[in-house]
Amino acid sequence: MTTTDTGNDAGNDTGNDTGNGTGNAAGTGPDTRSRAVLDIRELRVDIAGSRILQGVTFSVPATGVTALMGRNGVGKTTTVRAVLGLLPEEGRITGGTVRWAAAGPGDSWADITHEPTHRTVRRGIGYAPEDRGVFTRLTVAENLSLAERAGGGEPAYDLVHELFPELKARRGQAAGTLSGGQQQMVAIARCLLNDNRLVIVDEPTKGLAPRVVGEVAEVLARAAERVPMLLVEQNLAVIRKLAGQAVVLEAGRVAHTGPAAELLADRTRTTTLLGVGRAPAAAGEDTRNAHGTTDTTEADTTEGEAR
């Protein structure tokens, strides 16, 4: 069961050691709060007694793709799980806020920092987790039907079948017999089935063959035309193709925010923040060497685990 700290200590834990660590970095990019759908301010998370997030601050615009980047273990997956109330049992939010923009005109915000997951999801957030989260013994059709949100209007099966014709053809097939790329498409399709205002996708290309990476990136691009997306990703070619904004985490803090294209064009910055030692290949390009392995650093590869 997911637990979060809703006591007064969470609200009062605003020490200068964390507040000063992210103020300048978060402020390096444009202030998108006035046109954002999600706003995270000074978010701090402890897991099993260790401080994982140390004052994360950034906003997700109401259009386009925002890439959440960083080396392994810097807190990317912890950030999205904290937003959704999906921290492990030993995890808790110890400070900061997560706010959701109210639908319609005005600048109204709802504080969802300690909100139960089911309420947050019903506000219009879809989530494709790092492990895809498919029910392997159920069919593709059954996996999709389980994602239908009660009281959320007519499920968008026409849209899902338009974007994923292969899933329609395989609707009677057990999800556990699908390839990794096909399972990822099931995870993304479940997000698009409902009328969501934001989709969070965690490491969608992790472990996929280069050809399949290109296919998944194309599907994500088409999905992002319909709904804003917070994308946790380490494949820089995919980020180059999809992302308008980039947020880079380092040691549980925001180290950079700004246009993704500007970050990727700055070799010194990407080397410092991400450990990249060469230019990213095009999405789907086979970068294997003569030995059948891939000459990449951890930020270039799709194999690294996000946390």
Side-chain angles (χ1 to χ4, degrees):
M1 178 180 296
T2 300
T3 60
T4 54
D5 184 357
T6 58
N8 291 334
D9 59 329
N12 294 334
D13 184 9
T14 56
N16 292 333
D17 58 328
T18 57
N20 293 337
T22 60
N24 292 336
T28 57
D31 186 350
T32 59
R33 282 175 288 176
S34 61
R35 60 185 188 278
V37 67
L38 181 70
D39 184 60
I40 300 171
R41 297 284 125 181
E42 294 294 337
L43 185 63
R44 294 183 289 282
V45 171
D46 289 1
I47 296 179
S50 297
R51 176 64 54 87
I52 306 301
L53 300 185
Q54 305 192 47
V56 168
T57 295
F58 68 91
S59 296
V60 179
T63 59
V65 176
T66 300
L68 184 58
M69 307 166 64
R71 298 172 186 258
N72 294 338
V74 296
K76 302 185 297 295
T77 292
T78 296
T79 298
V80 299
R81 288 177 177 171
V83 168
L84 294 163
L86 291 174
L87 291 173
E89 186 173 359
E90 65 274 18
R92 64 188 186 121
I93 295 174
T94 58
T97 60
V98 179
R99 300 192 303 160
W100 178 252
D107 295 325
S108 177
W109 292 89
D111 188 338
I112 63 171
T113 310
H114 300 289
E115 189 172 64
T117 301
H118 68 278
R119 291 184 183 175
T120 297
V121 169
R122 286 175 182 170
R123 291 181 183 275
I125 302 180
Y127 177 47
E130 181 183 9
D131 61 0
R132 300 165 191 149
V134 299
F135 297 94
T136 57
R137 295 186 179 182
L138 300 183
T139 66
V140 170
E142 289 168 336
N143 268 272
L144 293 177
S145 66
L146 286 175
E148 296 179 14
R149 189 173 298 150
E154 190 69 22
Y157 278 103
D158 288 345
L159 170 62
V160 166
H161 292 155
E162 175 190 344
L163 291 176
F164 308 97
E166 188 172 3
L167 296 186
K168 182 178 182 180
R170 296 177 181 271
R171 59 186 178 273
Q173 183 174 337
T177 65
L178 299 175
S179 68
Q182 291 165 341
Q183 289 185 7
Q184 187 62 67
M185 291 181 184
V186 171
I188 299 169
R190 291 185 304 197
C191 294
L192 300 177
L193 199 61
N194 299 296
D195 186 20
N196 287 314
R197 296 176 54 217
L198 174 67
V199 169
I200 300 175
V201 185
D202 193 352
E203 293 277 17
T205 67
K206 178 182 175 181
L208 301 182
R211 177 186 59 82
V212 181
V213 169
E215 294 175 358
V216 171
E218 184 60 35
V219 168
L220 290 170
R222 296 181 65 187
E225 294 174 356
R226 294 166 169 81
V227 60
M229 184 179 297
L230 177 60
L231 175 67
V232 179
E233 183 57 78
Q234 295 198 71
N235 187 309
L236 299 190
V238 173
I239 292 172
R240 182 182 295 277
K241 177 182 177 66
L242 298 177
Q245 295 292 315
V247 178
V248 182
L249 299 187
E250 187 175 36
R253 304 173 186 269
V254 173
H256 173 86
T257 61
E262 291 183 9
L263 173 63
L264 296 179
D266 187 337
R267 175 50 53 86
T268 301
R269 194 86 169 132
T270 54
T271 299
T272 300
L273 294 175
L274 304 171
V276 177
R278 62 173 181 79
E285 179 179 333
D286 192 338
T287 58
R288 290 172 293 180
N289 58 27
H291 302 289
T293 59
T294 303
D295 294 326
T296 60
T297 57
E298 67 178 26
D300 264 326
T301 182
T302 61
E303 297 292 331
E305 182 181 4
R307 282 288 182 260

Short mmCIF file of all heavy atoms in Angstrom, two decimals, residues 3 44-53 75 77-79 81-82 86-94 307:
data_model
loop_
_atom_site.label_atom_id
_atom_site.label_comp_id
_atom_site.label_asym_id
_atom_site.label_seq_id
_atom_site.Cartn_x
_atom_site.Cartn_y
_atom_site.Cartn_z
N THR A 3 1.88 4.92 0.98
CA THR A 3 1.65 5.81 2.10
C THR A 3 2.38 7.11 1.85
O THR A 3 3.45 7.14 1.27
CB THR A 3 2.15 5.20 3.41
OG1 THR A 3 3.55 4.96 3.31
CG2 THR A 3 1.43 3.91 3.73
N ARG A 44 9.96 17.02 -1.77
CA ARG A 44 10.93 16.21 -1.06
C ARG A 44 10.30 14.87 -0.69
O ARG A 44 9.18 14.82 -0.20
CB ARG A 44 11.43 16.93 0.20
CG ARG A 44 12.22 18.19 -0.12
CD ARG A 44 12.78 18.86 1.12
NE ARG A 44 11.74 19.48 1.93
CZ ARG A 44 11.18 20.66 1.64
NH1 ARG A 44 11.52 21.31 0.54
NH2 ARG A 44 10.25 21.18 2.43
N VAL A 45 11.06 13.81 -0.95
CA VAL A 45 10.57 12.45 -0.71
C VAL A 45 11.65 11.64 -0.01
O VAL A 45 12.82 11.66 -0.41
CB VAL A 45 10.18 11.76 -2.03
CG1 VAL A 45 9.89 10.27 -1.80
CG2 VAL A 45 8.96 12.43 -2.65
N ASP A 46 11.25 10.94 1.05
CA ASP A 46 12.12 10.00 1.73
C ASP A 46 11.63 8.58 1.47
O ASP A 46 10.41 8.33 1.49
CB ASP A 46 12.12 10.24 3.24
CG ASP A 46 12.85 11.52 3.64
OD1 ASP A 46 13.34 12.23 2.73
OD2 ASP A 46 12.91 11.80 4.85
N ILE A 47 12.55 7.67 1.23
CA ILE A 47 12.22 6.26 1.08
C ILE A 47 13.14 5.46 1.98
O ILE A 47 14.37 5.55 1.87
CB ILE A 47 12.35 5.78 -0.38
CG1 ILE A 47 11.34 6.52 -1.27
CG2 ILE A 47 12.12 4.27 -0.47
CD1 ILE A 47 11.40 6.12 -2.73
N ALA A 48 12.55 4.71 2.89
CA ALA A 48 13.29 3.88 3.84
C ALA A 48 14.35 4.69 4.58
O ALA A 48 15.47 4.23 4.81
CB ALA A 48 13.95 2.70 3.12
N GLY A 49 13.99 5.92 4.95
CA GLY A 49 14.88 6.76 5.73
C GLY A 49 15.90 7.55 4.93
O GLY A 49 16.65 8.35 5.50
N SER A 50 15.95 7.35 3.63
CA SER A 50 16.90 8.08 2.78
C SER A 50 16.18 9.16 2.00
O SER A 50 15.09 8.93 1.47
CB SER A 50 17.59 7.12 1.80
OG SER A 50 18.34 6.15 2.49
N ARG A 51 16.76 10.34 1.92
CA ARG A 51 16.18 11.44 1.17
C ARG A 51 16.47 11.23 -0.32
O ARG A 51 17.60 11.31 -0.77
CB ARG A 51 16.75 12.78 1.66
CG ARG A 51 16.32 14.02 0.91
CD ARG A 51 14.81 14.29 1.04
NE ARG A 51 14.32 14.35 2.38
CZ ARG A 51 14.30 15.47 3.13
NH1 ARG A 51 14.77 16.59 2.65
NH2 ARG A 51 13.79 15.44 4.35
N ILE A 52 15.43 10.97 -1.11
CA ILE A 52 15.57 10.70 -2.54
C ILE A 52 15.39 11.97 -3.35
O ILE A 52 16.19 12.29 -4.23
CB ILE A 52 14.58 9.62 -3.00
CG1 ILE A 52 14.72 8.36 -2.13
CG2 ILE A 52 14.78 9.30 -4.47
CD1 ILE A 52 16.09 7.73 -2.15
N LEU A 53 14.32 12.72 -3.07
CA LEU A 53 14.09 14.00 -3.73
C LEU A 53 14.37 15.10 -2.71
O LEU A 53 13.85 15.07 -1.60
CB LEU A 53 12.65 14.11 -4.24
CG LEU A 53 12.20 13.06 -5.26
CD1 LEU A 53 10.80 13.38 -5.77
CD2 LEU A 53 13.18 12.93 -6.40
N GLY A 75 16.22 10.10 -9.28
CA GLY A 75 14.89 10.38 -8.73
C GLY A 75 13.79 10.60 -9.76
O GLY A 75 12.72 11.11 -9.41
N THR A 77 11.83 8.37 -11.60
CA THR A 77 10.64 7.55 -11.36
C THR A 77 10.02 7.87 -10.01
O THR A 77 8.79 7.88 -9.86
CB THR A 77 10.99 6.06 -11.47
OG1 THR A 77 11.32 5.75 -12.82
CG2 THR A 77 9.82 5.18 -11.05
N THR A 78 10.84 8.16 -9.02
CA THR A 78 10.31 8.58 -7.72
C THR A 78 9.46 9.83 -7.86
O THR A 78 8.41 9.97 -7.22
CB THR A 78 11.45 8.82 -6.72
OG1 THR A 78 12.15 7.60 -6.49
CG2 THR A 78 10.92 9.35 -5.40
N THR A 79 9.88 10.75 -8.71
CA THR A 79 9.11 11.98 -8.92
C THR A 79 7.72 11.68 -9.45
O THR A 79 6.71 12.18 -8.92
CB THR A 79 9.86 12.92 -9.88
OG1 THR A 79 11.12 13.29 -9.30
CG2 THR A 79 9.05 14.17 -10.15
N ARG A 81 6.08 8.88 -9.42
CA ARG A 81 5.30 8.08 -8.47
C ARG A 81 4.78 8.92 -7.32
O ARG A 81 3.68 8.68 -6.80
CB ARG A 81 6.14 6.92 -7.95
CG ARG A 81 6.38 5.83 -9.00
CD ARG A 81 7.27 4.73 -8.48
NE ARG A 81 7.44 3.67 -9.47
CZ ARG A 81 8.31 2.67 -9.36
NH1 ARG A 81 9.08 2.59 -8.28
NH2 ARG A 81 8.40 1.76 -10.30
N ALA A 82 5.56 9.93 -6.93
CA ALA A 82 5.09 10.83 -5.88
C ALA A 82 3.91 11.65 -6.36
O ALA A 82 2.95 11.89 -5.62
CB ALA A 82 6.23 11.75 -5.44
N LEU A 86 1.99 6.90 -5.69
CA LEU A 86 2.37 5.50 -5.86
C LEU A 86 3.73 5.18 -5.25
O LEU A 86 4.41 4.26 -5.70
CB LEU A 86 2.38 5.14 -7.35
CG LEU A 86 1.02 5.10 -8.04
CD1 LEU A 86 1.19 4.88 -9.54
CD2 LEU A 86 0.15 4.00 -7.45
N LEU A 87 4.11 5.92 -4.24
CA LEU A 87 5.36 5.62 -3.56
C LEU A 87 5.27 4.26 -2.86
O LEU A 87 4.18 3.82 -2.49
CB LEU A 87 5.68 6.70 -2.53
CG LEU A 87 6.06 8.08 -3.08
CD1 LEU A 87 6.18 9.08 -1.95
CD2 LEU A 87 7.35 8.02 -3.88
N PRO A 88 6.41 3.59 -2.68
CA PRO A 88 6.37 2.32 -1.93
C PRO A 88 5.94 2.55 -0.50
O PRO A 88 5.91 3.69 -0.01
CB PRO A 88 7.82 1.83 -2.02
CG PRO A 88 8.64 3.05 -2.27
CD PRO A 88 7.78 3.94 -3.11
N GLU A 89 5.63 1.47 0.19
CA GLU A 89 5.09 1.57 1.55
C GLU A 89 6.03 2.32 2.48
O GLU A 89 5.59 3.06 3.37
CB GLU A 89 4.82 0.17 2.10
CG GLU A 89 4.13 0.18 3.45
CD GLU A 89 3.73 -1.21 3.90
OE1 GLU A 89 3.98 -2.16 3.14
OE2 GLU A 89 3.18 -1.34 5.01
N GLU A 90 7.35 2.17 2.25
CA GLU A 90 8.31 2.84 3.12
C GLU A 90 8.63 4.26 2.65
O GLU A 90 9.49 4.92 3.22
CB GLU A 90 9.61 2.02 3.19
CG GLU A 90 10.38 1.91 1.89
CD GLU A 90 9.90 0.77 1.00
OE1 GLU A 90 8.77 0.28 1.22
OE2 GLU A 90 10.66 0.37 0.10
N GLY A 91 7.93 4.73 1.63
CA GLY A 91 8.17 6.07 1.11
C GLY A 91 7.14 7.07 1.58
O GLY A 91 5.99 6.73 1.85
N ARG A 92 7.55 8.34 1.69
CA ARG A 92 6.62 9.39 2.09
C ARG A 92 7.09 10.73 1.55
O ARG A 92 8.29 10.98 1.41
CB ARG A 92 6.46 9.46 3.61
CG ARG A 92 7.73 9.85 4.38
CD ARG A 92 7.53 9.72 5.88
NE ARG A 92 8.69 10.23 6.62
CZ ARG A 92 8.65 11.20 7.49
NH1 ARG A 92 7.51 11.81 7.75
NH2 ARG A 92 9.74 11.60 8.13
N ILE A 93 6.14 11.58 1.24
CA ILE A 93 6.43 12.96 0.87
C ILE A 93 6.64 13.75 2.15
O ILE A 93 5.78 13.77 3.03
CB ILE A 93 5.28 13.56 0.05
CG1 ILE A 93 5.14 12.83 -1.29
CG2 ILE A 93 5.50 15.05 -0.18
CD1 ILE A 93 3.94 13.27 -2.12
N THR A 94 7.79 14.39 2.28
CA THR A 94 8.12 15.10 3.52
C THR A 94 8.08 16.60 3.36
O THR A 94 8.29 17.33 4.34
CB THR A 94 9.52 14.68 4.01
OG1 THR A 94 10.49 14.96 2.99
CG2 THR A 94 9.56 13.20 4.36
N ARG A 307 14.90 5.90 -11.59
CA ARG A 307 14.41 5.87 -10.21
C ARG A 307 13.93 7.25 -9.84
O ARG A 307 14.41 8.23 -10.35
CB ARG A 307 15.53 5.43 -9.25
CG ARG A 307 15.75 3.92 -9.30
CD ARG A 307 14.60 3.17 -8.64
NE ARG A 307 14.85 1.75 -8.65
CZ ARG A 307 14.32 0.91 -9.53
NH1 ARG A 307 13.57 1.36 -10.50
NH2 ARG A 307 14.56 -0.37 -9.43
#
